[in-house]
């Protein structure tokens, strides 16, 4: 197709609207412009083509034979475009919003709030994919990832959703009544670590305690880590927000905190988002503000 030989799109749209309505005022209303703008675009098109598309000899504008010929072609062309755009819009609405997130975030933060989303947005379906693995965000795949860290990752858009420091915690009964232990003493206790992560191992290593020491580590899904933590089955590394109420109630002891500006982020591809994805992301932001 030789695009340079085609008339301006604005002129073609104005002519197609006039050909449909047969009235410049109604054509202007259809395109949300003035009737004067429609008349101007009709003259632009005639000048561009060097053909008389409109008969102005009577009281009302009518199409010439050339005008009728072009009108039929534009009706077919714009009709096909409208149908294709409608198909794409409907397919985007029908496809669920695919969310990648850790099981601990899903269980502790998202799941208790989901009934509110279902009530306000029953038209949006979701796929919650709990995994600690970093996934690629691409069209047709994962739409949104909820990830913990400093943000600013390359190749994607990230926005802070929930800021909270990392803490080292354990149940009082595991600590034998103590509220303060050195990293070496903690290394002698059992540890719980979320599958797919190395947070517990890394923290111990950063504090000079090698992997050869300790009473063993158990890797399990994040929601089960928190259950095991509360049951006194091990020390763990987690985000303070998930255990804040437990700490305040004395069910969990906070032993160490890592002060920084990290937190959970909404991560999306650096491209246009489907309406359903924008709806879910906006709802997440409102929930975080209310929190």
């Amino acid at each position: 197709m030789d695009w340079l030989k085609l008339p301006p799109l604005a002129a073609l749209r104005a002519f197609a609207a006039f050909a449909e309505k047969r009235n410049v005022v109604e054509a202007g209303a259809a395109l949300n412009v003035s009737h004067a703008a429609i008349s101007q675009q009709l003259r632009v098109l005639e000048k561009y083509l060097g053909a008389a598309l409109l008969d102005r000899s009577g009281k009302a504008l009518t199409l010439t034979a050339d005008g009728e010929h072009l009108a039929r072609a534009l009706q077919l062309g714009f009709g096909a475009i409208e149908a294709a755009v409608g198909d794409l819009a409907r397919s985007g609405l029908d496809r669920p919003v695919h969310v990648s997130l850790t099981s601990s975030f899903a269980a502790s933060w998202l799941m208790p709030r989901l009934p509110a989303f279902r009530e306000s947005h029953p038209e949006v379906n979701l796929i919650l994919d709990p995994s600690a693995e970093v996934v690629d965000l691409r069209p047709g795949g994962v739409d949104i990832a909820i990830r913990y860290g400093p943000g600013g990752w390359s190749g994607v858009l990230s926005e802070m959703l929930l800021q909270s420091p990392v803490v080292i915690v354990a149940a009082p009964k595991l600590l034998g009544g103590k509220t303060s232990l050195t990293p070496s003493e903690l290394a002698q206790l059992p540890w719980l670590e979320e599958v797919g992560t190395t947070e517990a191992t890394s923290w111990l290593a950063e504090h000079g305690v090698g992997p050869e020491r300790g009473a063993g580590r158990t890797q399990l899904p994040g929601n089960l880590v928190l259950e095991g933590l509360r049951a006194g089955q091990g020390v763990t590394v987690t985000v303070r927000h998930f255990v804040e109420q437990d700490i305040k109630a004395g069910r969990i002891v906070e032993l160490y905190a890592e002060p920084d500006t990290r937190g959970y982020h909404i991560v999306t591809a650096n491209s246009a988002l489907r309406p359903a994805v924008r709806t879910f992301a906006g709802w997440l932001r409102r929930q975080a503000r209310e929190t």
Side-chain angles (χ1 to χ4, degrees), residues 44 77 98 113 125 140 144 173 203 219 249 255:
V44 167
H98 194 154
R113 293 169 170 79
N125 295 320
I144 293 179
K173 66 178 180 180
W203 188 88
Q219 291 195 328
L255 300 163

Side-chain angles (χ1 to χ4, degrees), residues 167-171 174-175 186 191 226 229 234-240 243 247 252-256:
V167 293
I168 311 302
V169 288
L174 180 70
L175 302 176
L186 283 176
W191 278 70
L226 295 178
L229 167 70
V235 185
T236 196
V237 180
T238 188
V239 176
R240 179 186 284 154
V243 292
I247 294 171
I252 296 296
V253 176
E254 180 180 315
L255 300 163
Y256 291 89

Side-chain angles (χ1 to χ4, degrees), residues 57-75:
S57 61
K59 292 184 178 180
L61 290 178
T62 58
L63 296 180
T64 64
D66 286 341
E68 292 286 1
H69 177 64
L70 180 60
R72 287 191 294 271
L74 291 178
Q75 183 181 30

Side-chain angles (χ1 to χ4, degrees), residues 4-276:
L4 297 179
K5 290 184 178 180
L6 291 178
L9 178 59
L12 292 174
R13 290 175 73 238
F15 180 78
F18 172 80
E20 179 184 309
K21 303 296 184 181
R22 305 292 166 135
N23 182 287
V24 291
V25 175
E26 292 183 16
L31 294 180
N32 197 29
V33 298
S34 68
H35 68 277
I38 295 293
S39 297
Q40 181 183 10
Q41 290 297 336
L42 294 178
R43 291 190 181 91
V44 167
L45 185 59
E46 286 183 309
K47 182 178 180 181
Y48 187 94
L49 295 175
L53 304 175
L54 301 166
D55 185 348
R56 296 177 172 84
S57 61
K59 292 184 178 180
L61 290 178
T62 58
L63 296 180
T64 64
D66 286 341
E68 292 286 1
H69 177 64
L70 180 60
R72 287 191 294 271
L74 291 178
Q75 183 181 30
L76 290 173
F78 283 126
I81 293 172
E82 182 184 30
V85 169
D87 288 343
L88 290 173
R90 284 189 293 274
S91 67
L93 288 173
D94 293 340
R95 187 161 64 85
V97 177
H98 194 154
V99 185
S100 174
L101 71 175
T102 62
S103 56
S104 55
F105 184 88
S108 300
W109 193 89
L110 183 58
M111 291 303 295
R113 293 169 170 79
L114 268 189
F117 180 78
R118 291 267 56 88
E119 183 177 352
S120 57
H121 299 287
E123 77 285 359
V124 178
N125 295 320
L126 301 173
I127 296 176
L128 301 184
D129 189 356
S131 172
E133 295 182 6
V134 177
V135 298
D136 291 330
L137 303 175
R138 56 180 181 271
V142 173
D143 296 297
I144 293 179
I146 308 296
R147 286 292 176 259
Y148 188 85
W153 298 287
S154 63
V156 294
L157 299 177
S158 62
E159 173 187 351
M160 180 69 79
L161 176 67
L162 179 68
Q163 185 172 338
S164 187
V166 165
V167 293
I168 311 302
V169 288
K173 66 178 180 180
L174 180 70
L175 302 176
K178 296 181 180 179
T179 58
S180 177
L181 286 85
T182 66
S184 295
E185 290 173 327
L186 283 176
Q188 306 307 312
L189 299 176
W191 278 70
L192 305 175
E193 189 170 60
E194 185 169 359
V195 172
T197 73
T198 59
E199 292 166 335
T201 304
S202 298
W203 188 88
L204 287 170
E206 289 170 4
H207 288 77
V209 183
E212 73 281 356
R213 303 182 64 183
R217 296 181 184 87
T218 302
Q219 291 195 328
L220 62 169
N223 57 318
L224 297 182
V225 167
L226 295 178
E227 288 186 20
L229 167 70
R230 293 171 181 130
Q233 296 177 8
V235 185
T236 196
V237 180
T238 188
V239 176
R240 179 186 284 154
H241 181 81
F242 296 156
V243 292
E244 203 154 21
Q245 296 305 315
D246 295 288
I247 294 171
K248 290 179 180 178
R251 293 186 295 268
I252 296 296
V253 176
E254 180 180 315
L255 300 163
Y256 291 89
E258 301 296 329
D260 57 26
T261 58
R262 291 184 294 176
Y264 280 95
H265 292 72
I266 299 174
V267 184
T268 58
N270 193 6
S271 60
L273 301 179
R274 295 183 290 124

